Amino acid sequence: MFLLLLIATQATLFAQTRYLLKTVAITIPTVLDLQIISGANPVVDFNVTSKIDNGIELLAATTFTYRSNKAWFVTIKAGSADFTGGVSGSPMPASVIKYRLNGATLPYAPLSNLDQSLLANSGSKNARGTGSASIDFQVNPGYNYPPSQNYSLQVIYTISNL
């Protein structure tokens, strides 16, 4: 009987369970990423009169990717109200360039140096996620500006969650 009691006591000691707890902490920063993957610096060459008459349409002139883990929107704007270069005293305005999302049926909108909604807006944001988009340009200075080979204008794309 003593032997049975000793074996039962040892079995109870070996059958106990022990728990160890460890807390795992994860930190995820806000991701708002916008990258141009093609058409970073489109060149528009009015090398024939018909292009000056009709303007030039650049479909998918710039393509970018976006990634965000928060609701987001993208804006577009010109870096200044006018192009640099050209002839002094005859500035060419940014509005010579018109833009739209590639494949959109909406008419082209004139570019300005104020932020303009491109993908959603601050009041109606896109859900978090990843993807890509392309921008079409329509450029038509007509006969309003003197000849020059050095007109240039920065176009600024901004992704935001504010």
Side-chain angles (χ1 to χ4, degrees), residues 31-119:
V31 175
L32 286 169
D33 184 51
L34 191 62
Q35 300 289 323
I36 293 178
I37 58 172
S38 69
N41 297 306
V43 176
V44 183
D45 188 0
F46 290 91
N47 55 0
V48 293
T49 306
S50 64
K51 291 181 180 179
I52 296 173
D53 290 338
N54 303 310
I56 296 175
E57 186 175 47
L58 301 171
L59 298 177
T62 300
T63 300
F64 57 85
T65 60
Y66 53 84
R67 297 183 294 180
S68 180
N69 59 2
K70 292 186 86 170
W72 58 276
F73 62 97
V74 173
T75 59
I76 184 173
K77 73 176 181 178
S80 62
D82 299 317
F83 281 76
T84 61
V87 176
S88 179
S90 295
M92 186 164 59
S95 60
V96 163
I97 297 177
K98 294 186 167 90
Y99 71 91
R100 71 174 180 198
L101 281 175
N102 179 258
T105 57
L106 297 172
Y108 283 93
L111 188 63
S112 81
N113 63 334
L114 302 174
D115 283 323
Q116 297 165 293
S117 295
L118 189 58
L119 291 169

